[in-house]
Amino acid sequence: MEQDERLRHASSFGAAATAYAEHRPDYAQAAVRWALEPAPGLRVLDLGAGTGKLTATLVAVGADVTAVEPDRAMLTELRRALPTVRALPGSAEAIPLLDASVDAVLAGNAMHWFDMAVAGPEIARVLAPGGILAGLWNVMDDRADWVAGLARVSGSAAIGPRDTPTSWRAQTADMHLPKTGVAARFGSPEQAEFPHGQRRTADSLVATLATRAGMLVMPEPEREATLGRIRAFLASRPETADGEFTLPMLTCVLRVRRL
């Protein structure tokens, strides 16, 4: 994805902040604990925190969290949901924290938006010696037949190659590295995945997919046609046609240590 296109996608969420807060899933606690396991302490920066989905899980596992988010509307939703959490405007490329002030930096479904040539040195700056950077992604488990079918019907704007376990490892293995000749600030990556799930109805799953960046930037007629295909597919499947169901998911983690 070209830089301008990446920025357009990354900045698309604010207009859907309320829907994002309502419909996006949280993160498996086991995944968060694994991400933090080697960290020298529990001072954690949630970077690109959005509406606070990962922030809430970090609070639940006992971390001392600071959340940083560039979009004003998303930050407003985070502060409303988690009024006791320190939440600051800022970005991965300009982090409003002191040097060596956190033990871990986590990013929930956000690291792929970072310009690591700039963000890598910034993240390394705020990390204490031995600190951890971890990216977490909630992916749909397409090992279930109906989820694989949903991915085919939805298209890559709604369910991309990073959004399923068949390809997330390859898609994220070098997310911590700069795309230019800038020196890497982190060691070798470790990856792990943890079972997760989200209770959905057909309508709420459609609403969830509508908050994906590719859907948000799509021309309205194309977007409505795509959502219409998704609705028709869900209505045709016994797993999803009536009432609530569990969307099978994994929380997948990339973990690296600051050099």
Side-chain angles (χ1 to χ4, degrees):
M1 185 182 294
E2 296 296 327
Q3 177 74 357
D4 288 348
E5 187 73 359
R6 184 182 67 82
L7 290 173
R8 187 167 74 96
H9 281 68
S11 62
S12 66
F13 296 109
T18 301
Y20 194 107
E22 180 178 358
H23 297 296
R24 283 293 185 108
D26 61 3
Y27 293 81
Q29 288 192 13
V32 172
R33 290 193 181 96
W34 184 84
L36 295 176
E37 188 178 39
L42 286 176
R43 299 173 300 166
V44 181
L45 167 60
D46 182 1
L47 189 55
T51 62
K53 296 294 183 177
L54 177 57
T55 315
T57 307
L58 286 164
V59 170
V61 301
D64 175 13
V65 190
T66 298
V68 168
E69 165 58 36
D71 188 277
R72 183 178 300 177
M74 301 285 272
L75 191 60
T76 296
E77 288 290 337
L78 189 157
R79 287 169 169 163
R80 181 191 58 78
L82 299 164
T84 63
V85 171
R86 183 189 184 203
L88 305 173
S91 69
E93 296 76 19
I95 301 172
L97 297 181
L98 298 174
D99 295 0
S101 58
V102 296
D103 302 301
V105 174
L106 270 60
N109 278 78
M111 192 185 292
H112 48 277
W113 302 124
F114 299 170
D115 176 1
M116 289 303 292
V118 182
E122 266 293 89
I123 293 168
R125 178 185 65 79
V126 302
L127 277 171
I132 294 296
L133 168 64
L136 294 87
W137 289 268
N138 278 321
V139 307
M140 296 185 182
D141 193 347
D142 61 354
R143 293 171 295 190
D145 287 345
W146 75 265
V147 178
L150 176 64
R152 289 191 295 270
V153 166
S154 300
S156 60
I159 303 176
R162 194 179 53 248
D163 300 322
T164 59
T166 52
S167 54
W168 82 269
R169 287 177 180 267
Q171 290 289 319
T172 64
D174 63 352
M175 280 289 175
H176 60 295
L177 298 175
K179 299 299 186 284
T180 63
V182 177
R185 302 302 181 101
F186 304 95
S188 299
E190 301 173 271
Q191 293 174 298
E193 55 191 50
F194 300 85
H196 199 29
Q198 186 186 30
R199 294 295 290 172
R200 298 280 77 186
T201 64
D203 285 344
S204 63
L205 180 50
V206 170
T208 301
L209 294 175
T211 67
R212 298 295 181 94
M215 298 295 292
L216 293 172
V217 302
M218 191 178 283
E220 188 64 23
E222 185 180 352
R223 182 173 184 271
E224 286 306 313
T226 300
L227 294 176
R229 289 197 305 272
I230 294 170
R231 289 189 189 96
F233 174 82
L234 294 174
S236 74
R237 295 290 305 207
E239 300 93 339
T240 58
D242 297 309
E244 282 196 342
F245 53 88
T246 297
L247 172 65
M249 302 175 67
L250 301 167
T251 297
C252 299
V253 189
L254 168 74
R255 183 178 73 184
V256 291
R257 188 184 294 274
R258 177 187 181 275
L259 293 175

